[in-house]
Amino acid sequence: MTEDARWRDHLEKAGPSLHRIKRHDAMLVDAMLVGDKAHINRHSEDRSPEQLVNTASLPGIVGNAWAMADWHFGYGFPIGGVVATDIEAGGVISPGGVGFDINCGVRMCTLDLEVKDIKDLKKFGRRLKGRIPAGPSGKGGVDLSETKMDSILSEGAKAAAEHGWGEHRDLIAMESNGLLETQERLVSERALKRGSLSLGTLGSGNHFLELQVVDQIVDKNAANAFGLREGQVTAMIHTGSRGLGHQVCSDHVDSLEKKFRRQGNMWHSDEWDFKIPDRQLAAAPFHSNEGQAYFEAMQAAGNYAFANRSALTQRLRDALRAHLGSDGDLEVLYDVCHNIAKVENHVVHNENCTCCVHRKGATRALGGDHAELASRFAGIGQPVLVPGDMGTASWVLAGPTKGTNAAFGSSCHGAGRALSRSQARKTIDAEQLQNELQAQGITVHANTPNVLSEEAPSAYKDVDEVIRLTAEAELARPVARLRPFCVIKG
DNA sequence: ATGTTC
């Protein structure tokens, strides 16, 4: 065993589908891995558990550092990571704990339709492809003047609705009502420029817009509350803050990393007098100027992402009206962030704590008695939207009926990659894959053949397995499984 | 994830 894999010496079972890495070396708290033995062994050759261990030494960390069941290697922090710091006790905020695609997230819409109600599905798919701009460029975005950009960054989905890129009634069906408070708009000119053309565009990689059909109801009570029934058509939009959020992250990662100098095998900040084991965990005390500058810019980028999912929903509504003569009674079920840091109150070791909860590839999962949740989710729990891959399934889960789960009210966010993009391109033939998916009744409109190969179901882990582990660890409970039939891919 | 190499 290498020095680097010391975490295995400290691993113990902590419950059903739950393992603990006991505090050792520079760790300030324990780290929790959601998964059974077999699941953890599948990570024997990647360094993501070490990344999780590293996060456990961040100043002000409280509770445990967590890795959700779909954890994998990321920039500094593992993707799937949940890290909470006590911001009244010098706790830090770290851009690497949020990720490059700030407020990447998922919106799910219910339609009062079954698949058979969509006549000439092939034609509808082509219409959607024509109206949903996809791919790395911002080509096809809405016309965003400087004034409108300001309102989007400060007011998120509400501003989008005011500009005609969303509906006001959708706001109550969004995490934080689609609005992250910002005092100042601290976003660089470069970030603004990158965002100027891409509002209302999907992006690339694992981002998508899918028409899905509810193929299995697991929790009838919750499904009723969520307005879901077997055979029903739903739409799922998975995208984030595009180049704008990426630039905000880059700006702050660059400036914060410069504040750390190597000292033995750690990195030290003279300014704040603390050490981190990996420079990519560069962080600032939440209440420092640097911490606040990042937080405000992150909020603004998060608002842009909410507005982006709103604008795409509006384009979907337009496409439905053009094809069906109505929008199919499309309603937003919920819209969640899975790359964000939030200030939240939690009880840690029986004491109230104002925490900065970093969720990087993790979804908030509020209990059904939480004040922020819309009343229709009372006694049920927050909808947790988990996008899978384009040939298998996505899932809707629910947070606890009341109270919070052990992971600061967090759950998983997806299937997680099994093959790297380059491995997938090398080994998966795009045309053959497209034919295979078509034979299963799944039409994929991909921007390029490479995207098809990279996003192949076999390039992903089994989302059903991630859901099973998440449920066994009692983080969230499965409500419904959704199967795609029409996929728009960047 | 990303104007996929400032």
Side-chain angles (χ1 to χ4, degrees):
Chain A
M1 188 174 294
T2 66
E3 180 72 11
D4 287 332
R6 285 171 59 90
W7 61 273
R8 285 193 175 276
D9 298 339
H10 302 271
L11 186 70
E12 63 180 34
K13 188 169 162 65
S17 291
L18 202 52
H19 281 76
R20 177 187 300 271
I21 301 170
K22 292 197 55 91
R23 178 179 161 185
H24 62 279
D25 297 335
M27 292 171 82
L28 299 172
V29 297
D30 293 347
M32 306 296 279
L33 289 163
V34 178
D36 53 20
K37 195 103 196 163
H39 189 64
I40 288 172
N41 286 339
R42 283 194 281 272
H43 288 75
S44 58
E45 286 176 37
D46 83 61
R47 297 172 64 93
S48 53
E50 289 161 59
Q51 291 189 314
L52 176 68
V53 162
N54 288 341
T55 67
S57 60
L58 281 167
I61 188 168
V62 290
N64 300 303
W66 282 81
M68 301 293 100
D70 52 330
W71 89 80
H72 54 108
F73 190 84
Y75 186 87
F77 292 62
I79 293 161
V82 177
V83 170
T85 62
D86 179 349
I87 63 173
E88 305 311 335
V92 295
I93 185 167
S94 172
V98 170
F100 278 83
D101 190 1
I102 294 167
N103 190 5
C104 187
V106 181
R107 175 177 296 204
M108 188 171 154
C109 308
T110 56
L111 290 95
D112 190 17
L113 293 175
E114 298 196 354
V115 181
K116 64 173 167 47
D117 298 326
I118 306 174
K119 307 294 177 210
D120 200 350
L121 193 52
K122 286 273 180 310
K123 186 176 174 187
F124 183 56
R126 289 193 299 271
R127 273 186 199 270
L128 262 186
K129 170 71 184 158
R131 285 171 185 260
I132 304 294
S137 85
K139 211 174 149 201
V142 301
D143 187 12
L144 194 55
S145 67
E146 208 172 312
T147 325
K148 285 180 178 172
M149 175 64 104
D150 273 342
S151 67
I152 293 291
L153 294 178
S154 56
E155 296 187 90
K158 178 167 167 268
E162 276 158 15
H163 300 315
W165 306 319
E167 301 292 339
H168 282 97
R169 71 169 192 278
D170 297 345
L171 301 179
I172 57 157
M174 303 177 66
E175 178 166 335
S176 301
N177 298 315
L179 178 80
L180 304 170
E181 297 285 340
T182 53
Q183 303 299 316
E184 295 175 76
R185 195 205 68 190
L186 291 167
V187 170
S188 68
E189 285 302 318
R190 200 160 160 198
L192 290 174
K193 184 159 184 274
R194 288 181 67 174
S196 62
L197 298 174
S198 46
L199 193 79
T201 68
L202 210 46
S204 66
N206 64 357
H207 290 167
F208 63 71
L209 184 151
E210 283 184 357
L211 297 180
Q212 307 168 331
V213 59
V214 178
D215 115 301
Q216 194 188 342
I217 298 282
V218 179
D219 183 323
K220 273 191 181 158
N221 191 29
N224 277 339
F226 293 174
L228 295 171
R229 60 179 192 272
E230 213 170 307
Q232 172 187 15
V233 173
T234 59
M236 189 175 270
I237 296 169
H238 178 197
T239 186
S241 51
R242 310 289 282 101
L244 184 141
H246 191 274
Q247 190 61 46
V248 166
C249 183
S250 300
D251 289 344
H252 290 265
V253 160
D254 290 350
S255 65
L256 283 177
E257 285 187 0
K258 287 199 182 85
K259 294 190 178 283
F260 291 82
R261 291 183 301 112
R262 190 174 262 293
Q263 198 176 84
N265 57 0
M266 300 285 279
W267 293 84
H268 184 262
S269 156
D270 292 334
E271 191 165 344
W272 298 309
D273 195 24
F274 66 73
K275 287 177 194 168
I276 50 176
D278 177 351
R279 202 182 202 182
Q280 293 184 355
L281 299 177
F286 185 84
H287 287 302
S288 65
N289 289 338
E290 290 81 358
Q292 285 299 291
Y294 169 68
F295 185 67
E296 296 289 343
M298 180 208 74
Q299 299 281 80
N303 283 333
Y304 183 95
F306 279 133
N308 192 31
R309 293 195 285 276
S310 295
L312 284 160
T313 305
Q314 219 57 358
R315 290 177 160 194
L316 170 62
R317 283 179 163 125
D318 289 343
L320 285 160
R321 280 191 283 261
H323 193 75
L324 301 171
S326 86
D327 67 2
D329 290 330
L330 183 147
E331 294 289 339
V332 177
L333 166 57
Y334 209 60
D335 180 308
V336 296
C337 316
H338 55 225
N339 282 8
I340 201 76
K342 289 227 153 128
V343 175
E344 296 174 354
N345 296 313
H346 288 275
V347 177
V348 185
H349 302 311
N350 295 318
E351 284 189 38
N352 290 319
C353 179
T354 307
C355 300
C356 176
V357 182
H358 300 73
R359 295 192 182 90
K360 180 191 194 176
T363 310
R364 195 188 67 173
L366 293 182
D369 56 350
H370 196 282
E372 193 198 299
L373 270 192
S375 58
R376 71 185 198 279
F377 304 136
I380 302 290
Q382 179 207 299
V384 175
L385 311 175
V386 184
D389 64 72
M390 65 191 179
T392 312
S394 293
W395 280 86
V396 183
L397 316 181
T401 53
K402 61 177 182 185
T404 187
N405 72 27
F408 296 94
S410 310
S411 178
C412 61
H413 91 305
R417 292 201 77 83
L419 297 180
S420 71
R421 295 189 180 281
S422 56
Q423 280 174 309
R425 281 197 302 271
K426 260 184 266 174
T427 56
I428 299 163
D429 181 81
E431 196 181 334
Q432 189 189 339
L433 172 67
Q434 185 144 30
N435 292 337
E436 283 167 11
L437 290 170
Q438 191 59 65
Q440 294 171 49
I442 305 167
T443 307
V444 183
H445 299 267
N447 208 45
T448 63
N450 274 346
V451 163
L452 255 166
S453 303
E454 291 170 7
E455 296 300 314
S458 57
Y460 280 88
K461 290 180 214 157
D462 182 354
V463 69
D464 294 349
E465 174 76 353
V466 168
I467 299 302
R468 178 182 71 80
L469 297 166
T470 300
E472 283 180 2
E474 296 184 353
L475 297 182
R477 62 187 200 285
V479 174
R481 188 178 189 268
L482 315 156
R483 194 163 37 79
F485 62 91
C486 179
V487 182
I488 313 293
K489 266 287 193 187

